[in-house]
Amino acid sequence: MKHEIDLLAQVPDGLFIGGQWRPADEGATLGVCDPATGGIVKQVADASRADGIAALDAADAASADWAATSLGRRADLLRGAFDLLQERAEEFALLLTIETGKPLEESRAEVAYSGDFLRWFSEEAPRIQGRYGQNATGTGRMIITQHPVGPCLLITPWNFPLGMATRKIAPALAAGCTVVIKPPELAPLSTLFFVSLLEELGLPSGVVNVVTTSSAGAVSKPLLRDPRLRKLSFTGSTPVGIRLLEQAARGVLRTSMELGGNAPFIVFDDADLDRAVEGALKAKFRNVGQACTAANRFIVHHSLADEFARRLAGHARAFTVGRGTDHGVEVGPLIDERAVTKVKHLVDDAVARGATLHAGGAPIEGPGTFFAPTVLSDLQAGSEILREEIFGPVLAVSTFDDEDQAVRMANDTNYGLVSYVYTENLARGQRMIERLETGMMGLNVGVVSNAGAPFGGWKSSGLGREGGAEGIHEYLQTKYTLSANPFA
Ligand code: NAD
């Protein structure tokens, strides 16, 4: 416990604006809770509208100098941040467990994932290039150059708070953009701690500014109206994303939107069932199901469905549930009471409509906001759980008879982030790549994210891509110049 207290004391509690840590307007603070105990672990600054504007002032003031910084210097800063994050990985992992509740092993994986974006974009920065060529008539030379879009507002969610912060900060800085980041109010600590590392590395003032706030809408709205802001990158729920897109339309802002999911997980009759069960455990129970990429609808061939549900129910019952810091814990708490109420409602609705309950099914008594790992089968059409993003440890199995039906069921949603397919038939796997309406797909694998991949969704799951060769272009704008033929 003492090392937790010492670690929390090292995390800055202020806003970071123009290179200075400072309190919020009128000294306002917000409490950050450990969801495994329900206790407040730290108070951090609660920014006002004026604080948000001050952060944009700082990002704008630093913008021209940062855009002119050499690609090598940007790369070095990001590489330095990667190295420092590796050195301090255990501290970051513990902090993530305290603020989100996820088991330490999962927090370690998030720290590694977060670092990968720093390394990836440190390597991408020097590869920002343009083109040079003749126009078709030969009257001129075309010069195509890439430029930073300018000051960006980055808004991140609580489920992977550090991963989502580096997935945005790293490409923005690599591209030459300055940023205002608004971390999630439920889990802001890892972002604050990370920015203190950037400060240690000599980050120039105003390049990264952090505003923690309990009034996200009130702080972000004036920024989205301000002509100095040039981009919004948001990760969070689809309803909030839609509202922000409407606000961003006024200034014709560049936007990257990583929104909600409703991932299908299809198990064909030719699947390797052991592999499918192993993949399902990861795709469903990682972060207690609180992932945009979490498998939401298990669509299993009728010949395998009973065995699949039975085996997963065995695993669900055997999970060790508890505080993520405790040895051997595999499943932590949900983020808050609201999440428990929502998950309970979805399970109750499914059962009331005729679903079979194999394991779990109810919240676990506190302290903390725990829900028992749950397996349901025989889901009936119309069950809310088939439409809604569950965001909890509930695995719901429906059945299908043939490939066309599986595809119809999988695509029957407004979301399109990721799909998972288990089949040993290569041609069928390839058909699924062409037929499933999602931006990402796991073929015989239950986790797809990595820094080298273009992460993002189709349909209401988002716009733009984070990571991969595509990721940096979200923060760059193209200029085409026609120069007169130098020989004419
Ligand atoms: P959320 O939409 O409630 O909040 C996300 C962020 O937006 C938080 O920082 C919050 O403070 C802020 N916010 C909320 N209302 C706002 C407003 N009116 N104006 C400006 N900002 C506002 O989502 P959440 O509960 O934090 O995260 C869970 C959601 O995020 C899920 O839907 C999940 O699928 C999605 N998510 C998507 C991805 C992805 O990459 N596609 C990754 C992680 C999470």
Side-chain angles (χ1 to χ4, degrees), residues 113 153-160 164 167-168 182-186 213-221 224 232 234-241 243-244 247 257-262 290-294 335 338 342 389 391 415 417 440 455-457 461-462 466:
Y113 179 69
L153 173 61
L154 315 178
I155 302 181
T156 52
W158 50 263
N159 58 347
F160 293 93
M164 298 304 100
R167 204 164 86 172
K168 295 185 192 305
K182 196 219 76 63
E185 59 274 36
L186 294 172
T213 182
S214 60
S215 319
V219 170
S220 65
K221 204 169 183 179
L224 293 168
L232 166 67
F234 171 78
T235 298
S237 60
T238 296
V240 173
R243 205 175 316 155
L244 293 175
Q247 294 174 28
M257 310 300 284
E258 297 287 353
L259 307 178
N262 183 3
Q290 301 174 121
C292 53
T293 51
I335 192 71
R338 219 169 51 140
K342 177 189 162 192
E389 193 176 25
F391 246 55
Y415 293 103
L417 189 61
M440 301 179 284
F455 188 106
S461 288
E466 290 191 321

Side-chain angles (χ1 to χ4, degrees), residues 188-435:
L189 303 179
S190 51
T191 306
L192 290 166
F193 199 36
F194 174 67
V195 171
S196 74
L197 293 197
L198 293 178
E199 187 192 15
E200 218 175 285
L201 289 165
L203 175 81
S205 300
V207 173
V208 175
N209 305 277
V210 189
V211 284
T212 44
T213 182
S214 60
S215 319
V219 170
S220 65
K221 204 169 183 179
L223 302 193
L224 293 168
R225 288 183 170 192
D226 192 312
R228 296 173 299 171
L229 189 78
R230 293 313 315 144
K231 179 176 171 91
L232 166 67
S233 177
F234 171 78
T235 298
S237 60
T238 296
V240 173
I242 291 171
R243 205 175 316 155
L244 293 175
L245 272 173
E246 285 166 359
Q247 294 174 28
R250 285 172 60 115
V252 196
L253 293 187
R254 286 282 294 277
T255 53
S256 302
M257 310 300 284
E258 297 287 353
L259 307 178
N262 183 3
F265 187 109
I266 307 175
V267 184
F268 284 105
D269 53 354
D270 53 25
D272 175 333
L273 196 59
D274 291 341
R275 253 173 127 176
V277 167
E278 192 193 322
L281 290 170
K282 291 198 179 113
K284 179 74 256 180
F285 293 107
R286 194 168 64 103
N287 206 17
V288 210
Q290 301 174 121
C292 53
T293 51
N296 216 51
R297 294 167 299 145
F298 286 79
I299 300 171
V300 183
H301 190 265
H302 66 80
S303 63
L304 296 176
D306 286 347
E307 172 72 1
F308 183 78
R310 193 185 59 72
R311 285 169 64 171
L312 281 156
H315 285 285
R317 279 188 228 102
F319 276 136
T320 308
V321 181
R323 183 162 192 251
T325 46
D326 295 347
H327 184 69
V329 164
E330 297 163 290
V331 174
L334 290 173
I335 192 71
D336 60 12
E337 221 30 87
R338 219 169 51 140
V340 174
T341 307
K342 177 189 162 192
V343 173
K344 181 172 183 319
H345 169 77
L346 291 176
V347 171
D348 290 349
D349 172 74
V351 171
R353 288 172 196 265
T356 307
L357 180 65
H358 297 267
I364 299 172
E365 220 168 284
T369 41
F370 293 90
F371 197 95
T374 297
V375 175
L376 297 167
S377 70
D378 310 312
L379 270 289
Q380 301 300 308
S383 300
E384 287 180 47
I385 208 163
L386 299 177
R387 304 249 149 247
E388 289 268 326
E389 193 176 25
I390 304 171
F391 246 55
V394 182
L395 191 152
V397 180
S398 308
T399 57
F400 70 92
D401 297 322
D402 62 40
E403 192 176 302
D404 285 346
Q405 188 190 5
V407 170
R408 263 198 317 278
M409 288 167 75
N411 287 340
D412 183 20
T413 168
N414 291 334
Y415 293 103
L417 189 61
V418 61
S419 48
Y420 302 93
V421 172
Y422 278 76
T423 175
E424 294 293 296
N425 177 333
L426 178 61
R428 173 173 267 163
Q430 288 179 306
R431 284 196 296 280
M432 291 305 109
I433 295 174
E434 305 214 6
R435 297 185 73 188

Side-chain angles (χ1 to χ4, degrees), residues 11-89:
V11 177
D13 56 8
L15 308 175
F16 190 61
I17 298 180
Q20 304 290 325
W21 292 100
R22 66 159 177 79
D25 228 7
E26 296 178 11
T29 62
L30 67 93
V32 180
C33 189
D34 175 344
T37 63
I40 302 266
V41 293
K42 193 171 174 90
Q43 295 285 337
V44 300
D46 189 0
S48 68
R49 189 175 173 281
D51 292 320
I53 292 169
L56 180 57
D57 291 343
D60 181 50
S63 182
D65 281 353
W66 185 247
T69 303
S70 73
L71 300 178
R73 166 114 200 269
R74 296 180 209 164
D76 289 346
L77 178 81
L78 293 173
R79 178 68 204 204
F82 168 78
D83 291 338
L84 213 43
L85 190 61
Q86 304 309 302
E87 270 173 40
R88 312 204 48 181

